[in-house]
């Protein structure tokens, strides 16, 4: 979506999750979709050659799974192990997928590339991965830079920091990317929404539940961990409506409304993730809308971030 907002045409996409493929196809109608592990796509292109529709690309975008490097995950304890995000997905060594992406980059040879991950890839032992990524990208001909950006600087009403590896194989000046859009609060983003009663009911915490107990004990704008005697629940937040929300995770349990004892509804989640209001969830059960929207937003790079970065690349490197 971010590329479309910036004026680009999306040629195709690749993923391994059939459910996410259905959603992507319904909303974006790509001419080409490769539903398979990226490693298999690399092997296919090596054997069959590069099809015409993948030749001469301006940007090759990639978001290799970030759970291996997330500060909320197990990090190096799971490096080198087969894992999968959820049922229906193939098992893969997630921390190797960035290098599969670089293999794909070497085959397709676009003018530029953008690859996204979490800030944890620049911290501790993971810095070795980041250095190896930059080294390989440079070895295959791309002058490469690394940016860490908060989504709020791109007009997203969500504090979501992301790291972008960007590169060009043409001789260009270094990219300048310092977005500084107006900070949008949760209240501003959602003030005109007409929320459905059933959606609100599905988002509301049950009286007497543990989460509702700590929501009650937590001050607005603070994390549940500050009210918990053991300091756990450190990703759960009672958000201040007059500020951007904290990072929305894929699991529907970490970001709570400040004035009402509930999670956010699917309509609010779309706004907080910079998704369009009419995005099709491809979900037959309305009772599942909130959870599925949270998964989509939590697993995505906010479209406004991609819009701003790809616009900078077009203006400075491609135009």
């Amino acid at each position: 979506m971010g590329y479309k907002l910036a004026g680009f045409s999306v040629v195709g996409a690749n993923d391994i999750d059939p459910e996410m493929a259905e959603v992507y196809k319904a909303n974006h109608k790509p001419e080409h979709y490769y539903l398979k592990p990226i490693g298999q796509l690399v092997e296919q292109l090596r054997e069959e050659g590069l099809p015409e529709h993948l030749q001469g690309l301006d940007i090759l975008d990639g978001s290799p799974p970030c759970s291996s490097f997330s500060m909320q995950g197990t990090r190096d304890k799971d490096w080198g192990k087969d894992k999968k995000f959820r049922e229906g997905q193939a098992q893969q060594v997630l921390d190797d997928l960035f290098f599969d992406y670089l293999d794909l980059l070497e085959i397709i040879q676009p003018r530029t590339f953008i690859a996204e991950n979490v800030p944890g890839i620049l911290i501790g032992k993971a810095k070795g991965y980041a250095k190896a990524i930059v080294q390989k990208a440079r070895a295959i001909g791309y002058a490469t830079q690394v940016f860490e950006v908060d989504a709020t600087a791109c007009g997203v009403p969500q504090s979501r920091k992301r790291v972008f590896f960007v590169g060009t194989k043409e001789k260009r000046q270094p990219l300048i990317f310092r977005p500084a859009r107006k900070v949008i609060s949760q209240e501003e983003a959602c003030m005109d929404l007409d929320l459905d009663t059933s959606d609100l009911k599905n988002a509301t915490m049950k009286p007497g539940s543990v989460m509702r107990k700590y929501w009650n004990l937590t001050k607005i704008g603070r994390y549940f961990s500050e009210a918990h005697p053991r300091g756990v629940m450190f990703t759960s937040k009672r958000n201040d409506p007059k500020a951007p929300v904290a990072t929305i995770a894929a699991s529907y349990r970490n970001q709570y409304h400040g004035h009402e004892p509930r999670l956010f509804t699917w309509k609010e989640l779309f706004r907080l993730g910079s998704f369009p209001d009419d995005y099709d969830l491809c979900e037959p059960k309305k009772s599942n809308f909130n959870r599925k929207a949270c998964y989509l937003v939590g697993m995505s790079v906010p479209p406004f971030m991609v819009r701003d970065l790809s616009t900078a690349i077009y203006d400075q490197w491609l135009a």
Side-chain angles (χ1 to χ4, degrees), residues 1-4 8-16 20-21 24-36 38 41 45 50-63 101 104 108 110 114 306:
M1 287 178 288
Y3 288 106
K4 289 185 176 181
F8 287 86
S9 297
V10 178
V11 173
N14 162 239
D15 204 331
I16 65 168
M20 294 302 102
Y24 190 91
K25 289 176 182 178
N27 288 280
H28 303 291
K29 299 176 176 56
E31 291 184 38
H32 307 277
Y33 199 98
Y34 297 92
L35 182 59
K36 60 182 65 182
I38 188 172
L41 176 58
L45 296 179
L50 193 64
E52 186 176 351
H53 64 265
L54 292 181
Q55 298 176 19
L57 297 184
D58 288 316
I59 301 177
L60 178 66
D61 175 275
S63 293
Y101 165 80
L104 187 65
I108 293 178
I114 299 174
V306 178

Side-chain angles (χ1 to χ4, degrees), residues 63-83:
S63 293
C66 59
S67 61
S68 296
F69 307 111
S70 172
M71 297 305 292
Q72 297 179 24
T74 52
R75 289 177 64 79
D76 53 301
K77 293 179 181 177
D78 279 339
W79 291 351
K81 296 179 181 178
D82 281 347
K83 292 180 67 179

